[in-house]
Amino acid sequence: MKSKAHFNPKSLTWLISLVVMIVLCVGVIFGSKALYDFANRKYNEPVDIDFTIASTTDIDISSMNADTYGVTSAKEAYDESGNLVAYIIEGTTIGYNTSVPIEMSTIISADGTLVCGIDILHQEETEYLGVRIEESSFKDQFTGRYLPVVISGGSEKGSGIDAIARSTVSSQAVVDGVNNAQNFVTANFAVSEDAE
């Protein structure tokens, strides 16, 4: 005679096991998110820039392999007391219009960890779309952000920048230009151990 497994509806063991498994799964999900947010908290919000640039000095970049980073010129930036506070890096990056590079300027903190501001010097991106990289609503997102910067919504580690709707190629080009400026600073100038 074959015996069948007998289910006793009065037994609560299965229900208790199910509840414990659900609680553990929820704990793992929320715990992982909390650990990720804690590890990346410096990328979540911009910080205040606590200096003003009073003067600049040109840097001779002829021996610094600047072409590798798309860099065309560099300057040291000093505060009122004569302290080196940042580097102003001008360079090019390729956006949607591949025949005319975007020319931009990026201010990187002296320790190489922070974007202090960006400006678009020249661009010929698509009308009504890519040209919006010049708008303050896009450029201001970079100020006070820890490097690297990334387009929001991806899985990459870094400070999230919201891409311009229907202009992700132009937006990504600016993000790449900022990261190239940081890589140039990191490769050529002394930076703190906190720089990543």
Side-chain angles (χ1 to χ4, degrees), residues 57-137:
T57 302
D58 290 335
I59 301 171
D60 178 10
I61 61 171
S62 60
S63 64
M64 295 184 182
N65 207 14
D67 290 342
T68 303
Y69 304 98
V71 172
T72 56
S73 71
K75 296 179 180 182
E76 293 176 332
Y78 297 92
D79 65 11
E80 301 82 19
S81 302
N83 299 313
L84 176 66
V85 291
Y87 295 97
I88 302 171
I89 308 298
E90 291 186 6
T92 60
T93 183
I94 302 298
Y96 189 78
N97 183 351
T98 57
S99 61
V100 180
I102 298 167
E103 296 174 23
M104 59 185 290
S105 175
T106 307
I107 303 172
I108 304 289
S109 63
D111 66 0
T113 62
L114 197 65
V115 183
C116 303
I118 71 163
D119 196 15
I120 305 301
L121 305 175
H122 179 79
Q123 58 82 24
E124 293 182 24
E125 295 295 284
T126 51
E127 191 174 4
Y128 305 114
L129 296 172
V131 296
R132 295 186 297 165
I133 60 174
E134 288 188 309
E135 294 178 0
S136 294
S137 58

Side-chain angles (χ1 to χ4, degrees), residues 3 6 39-40 44 66 94 108 159:
S3 65
H6 182 67
N40 295 297
N44 294 339
I94 302 298
I108 304 289
S159 296

Side-chain angles (χ1 to χ4, degrees), residues 105-186:
S105 175
T106 307
I107 303 172
I108 304 289
S109 63
D111 66 0
T113 62
L114 197 65
V115 183
C116 303
I118 71 163
D119 196 15
I120 305 301
L121 305 175
H122 179 79
Q123 58 82 24
E124 293 182 24
E125 295 295 284
T126 51
E127 191 174 4
Y128 305 114
L129 296 172
V131 296
R132 295 186 297 165
I133 60 174
E134 288 188 309
E135 294 178 0
S136 294
S137 58
F138 178 69
K139 295 187 303 184
D140 291 350
Q141 295 181 81
F142 291 87
T143 303
R145 301 307 297 264
Y146 280 99
L147 289 154
V149 290
V150 298
I151 296 293
S152 295
S155 60
E156 299 166 299
K157 180 180 176 181
S159 296
I161 302 297
D162 293 331
I164 298 169
R166 296 178 293 161
S167 296
T168 53
V169 173
S170 301
S171 302
Q172 184 64 56
V174 175
V175 165
D176 292 344
V178 170
N179 290 330
N180 286 342
Q182 184 219 9
N183 292 334
F184 176 77
V185 168
T186 302

